Amino acid sequence: MGKLLYNILDLFANNSFRSLLTSLGIGLVSATAVQTLLSEYINTALNQASTMPMLGLLGMFGIDSALSILLGAVLTRASIEASKLSLGKRA
């Protein structure tokens, strides 16, 4: 039992494993922060757009679908960029 516990603690003490866990945590936190921030801006834009008198006309032209596709692409790009964030020593 003691040897098993020692092996598990030795695995967690390994630098590469520790840096992997740190990188995953930072990526998750930054992606969540970016997602929250962008969602707030999107909700603000949608609330302001609901006061436009020509919104029904824009819907007939498919502008709503185009905006959904564009905002989805922006959120996807932001998530990918946030996942590339990691901490490390500068050379």
Side-chain angles (χ1 to χ4, degrees):
M1 182 68 178
K3 188 174 183 178
L4 176 66
L5 182 60
Y6 175 78
N7 287 337
I8 291 173
L9 291 176
D10 187 42
L11 178 68
F12 281 111
N14 189 357
N15 265 346
S16 60
F17 186 71
R18 191 177 340 152
S19 66
L20 174 71
L21 287 178
T22 303
S23 297
L24 288 174
I26 290 172
L28 183 64
V29 168
S30 63
T32 303
V34 168
Q35 178 73 25
T36 303
L37 182 67
L38 287 176
S39 293
E40 285 297 318
Y41 282 123
I42 290 170
N43 287 336
T44 302
L46 288 175
N47 287 337
Q48 290 177 355
S50 66
T51 61
M52 290 182 178
M54 300 298 247
L55 198 59
L57 187 60
L58 292 176
M60 287 192 322
F61 293 130
I63 300 296
D64 56 339
S65 298
L67 286 176
S68 295
I69 292 169
L70 287 174
L71 290 175
V74 168
L75 289 175
T76 302
R77 172 72 184 229
S79 297
I80 290 171
E81 292 297 321
S83 69
K84 290 182 183 177
L85 180 67
S86 66
L87 291 180
K89 292 183 180 180
R90 288 189 174 177

